């Protein structure tokens, strides 16, 4: 798909997904009980409460600093250009029904995350866009500014909507926690990021160095602490949305049982993330304590009806 055709298409499916949420049956958030502080609650989706692992304050501090470096408009510009690089390898799936469905679930989950603050203390509202990439690889991606993608290969492996919600919640967490912005700063790519923003705002073309920098960012992956942080937040967002909290842990167990670093469809996932069995193990105590009373909604039949058409 050509770059200039990408954004109107994603905007259209996102709008359709948002409108559909009013006429489709979504999980009942009234079943949730008091999970607002399940992970130690507070601004940005969680503080340093008892449910958090050691080092989480460092993750939050790094994200807060990164948000101060980029305005919401600059994050949106980065997101558009990062998306164009991701979709340069494989295009969006040409299936409007499936795209609308993923947008619907994604928007609902994203509504459960507290927005971060900009440098002036104002809440950042993301223009969320969700899309399915036409690739057999098993993976999901996010960009600054609120673009989130899942692959067809991953969707074919999932068993229900709660698992999809868990995956999308993990990617939403990367955005609202500023993980990619922090990675740009830690990787010494601030100058490249500035060039990408300037290119997008001036309607220019990215240089080879810019494209390679974005590719390298995704090939290297985020810090392990960021991935574990996104896993924990995913439980919270999915549970707040009314889904079974164990959706993401179920997916992680599937990764551990079905994939490996030598499987071409799992290679990038395994090379850029911590061991999936370890990730699932770290979440188990939360499932049996903080989230033990969460809802039991999976919407399996609805998910499988969509999966059959992929």
């Amino acid at each position: 798909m050509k770059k200039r055709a990408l954004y109107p298409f994603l905007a259209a499916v996102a709008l359709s997904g948002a409108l559909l949420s009013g006429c489709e049956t979504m999980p009942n958030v009234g079943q949730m009980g008091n999970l607002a502080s399940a992970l130690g609650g507070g601004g940005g989706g969680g503080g340093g409460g008892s449910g958090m692992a050691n080092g989480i304050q460092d993750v939050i501090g790094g994200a807060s600093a990164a948000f101060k470096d980029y305005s919401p408009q600059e994050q949106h510009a980065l997101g558009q250009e990062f998306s164009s690089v991701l979709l340069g390898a494989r295009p969006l799936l040409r299936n409007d029904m499936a795209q609308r469905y993923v947008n619907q679930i994604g928007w609902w989950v994203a509504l459960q995350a507290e927005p971060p603050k900009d440098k002036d203390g104002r809440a950042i509202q993301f223009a969320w866009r969700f899309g399915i990439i036409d690739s057999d690889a098993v993976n999901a991606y996010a960009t600054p500014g609120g673009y989130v993608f899942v692959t067809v290969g991953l969707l074919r492996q999932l068993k229900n909507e709660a698992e999809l919600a868990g995956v999308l919640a993990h990617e939403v967490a990367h955005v609202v926690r500023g993980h990619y912005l922090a990675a740009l700063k830690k990787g010494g790519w601030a100058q490249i990021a500035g060039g990408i923003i300037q290119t997008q705002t001036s309607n220019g073309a990215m240089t080879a160095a810019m494209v390679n920098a974005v590719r390298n960012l995704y090939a290297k992956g985020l810090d392990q602490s960021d991935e574990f942080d996104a896993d924990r937040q995913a439980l919270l967002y999915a549970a707040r949305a009314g889904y079974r909290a164990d959706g993401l842990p179920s997916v992680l167990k599937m990764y551990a049982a079905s994939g490996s670093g030598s499987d071409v469809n799992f290679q990038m996932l395994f090379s850029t993330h911590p061991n999936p069995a370890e990730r699932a193990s770290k979440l188990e105590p939360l499932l049996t304590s903080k989230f033990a009373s969460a809802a039991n909604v999976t919407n399996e039949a609805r998910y499988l009806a969509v999966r059959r058409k992929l």
Side-chain angles (χ1 to χ4, degrees):
M1 179 178 291
K2 291 183 179 178
K3 173 182 169 184
R4 298 306 169 198
L6 162 64
Y7 312 124
F9 177 75
L10 279 178
V13 294
L15 177 59
S16 298
L19 293 175
L20 277 172
S21 65
C23 58
E24 293 276 0
T25 302
M26 298 303 292
N28 179 7
V29 294
Q31 301 176 54
M32 278 303 302
N34 183 21
L35 282 178
S37 59
L39 297 184
S50 60
M52 291 299 200
N54 292 335
I56 190 60
Q57 289 298 335
D58 293 337
V59 175
I60 296 172
S64 298
F67 277 118
K68 288 181 172 61
D69 291 335
Y70 298 97
S71 70
Q73 294 76 20
E74 289 171 335
Q75 292 175 54
H76 183 66
L78 284 171
Q80 288 194 328
E81 296 303 326
F82 279 32
S83 297
S84 71
V85 173
L86 287 172
L87 295 174
R90 299 291 301 183
L92 287 168
L93 178 71
R94 288 296 187 178
N95 183 325
D96 290 350
M97 177 277 297
Q99 297 284 5
R100 285 193 298 269
Y101 172 72
V102 169
N103 266 272
Q104 177 194 356
I105 307 308
W107 270 80
W108 179 239
V109 169
L111 284 173
Q112 316 309 318
E114 296 94 341
K117 303 287 177 48
D118 66 14
K119 60 183 176 60
D120 298 316
R122 294 181 298 238
I124 298 173
Q125 302 299 332
F126 296 102
W128 293 99
R129 300 288 185 267
F130 298 85
I132 305 170
I133 294 178
D134 192 3
S135 169
D136 290 331
V138 176
N139 217 335
Y141 309 91
T143 79
Y147 288 83
V148 175
F149 301 99
V150 292
T151 63
V152 173
L154 173 57
L155 294 181
R156 288 173 179 155
Q157 295 281 341
L158 303 184
K159 300 187 296 294
N160 56 57
E161 196 170 287
E163 291 188 348
L164 172 61
V167 169
L168 294 176
H170 175 94
E171 299 305 326
V172 164
H174 281 319
V175 177
V176 300
R177 306 287 275 185
H179 293 159
Y180 281 104
L181 298 178
L184 285 171
K185 190 171 186 177
K186 283 187 264 186
W189 292 331
Q191 185 173 357
I192 286 284
I196 291 173
I197 292 168
Q198 180 59 37
T199 292
Q200 206 283 325
T201 54
S202 64
N203 205 31
M206 291 179 69
T207 66
M210 294 175 186
V211 172
N212 286 335
V214 175
R215 287 174 177 166
N216 288 338
L217 177 64
Y218 286 97
K220 177 180 180 293
L222 297 169
D223 288 351
Q224 288 201 0
S225 59
D226 291 339
E227 294 295 349
F228 290 131
D229 180 46
D231 285 345
R232 289 187 294 268
Q233 295 305 312
L235 296 193
L236 180 60
Y237 302 161
R240 281 177 174 171
Y243 290 103
R244 281 181 57 160
D246 67 353
L248 179 63
S250 294
V251 176
L252 296 174
K253 291 173 184 176
M254 176 273 289
Y255 292 160
S258 304
S260 70
S262 60
D263 184 330
V264 65
N265 287 329
F266 284 85
Q267 266 179 358
M268 187 168 185
L269 177 73
F270 274 71
S271 67
T272 56
H273 290 74
N275 181 279
E278 179 186 1
R279 293 169 64 189
S281 176
K282 285 180 178 292
L283 296 176
E284 201 63 39
L286 289 173
L287 291 176
T288 56
S289 58
K290 300 290 186 180
F291 296 95
S293 61
N296 197 40
V297 175
T298 64
N299 285 343
E300 180 178 351
R302 179 165 66 174
Y303 181 80
L304 294 179
V306 174
R307 196 183 72 176
R308 283 193 291 270
K309 297 179 182 179
L310 293 175

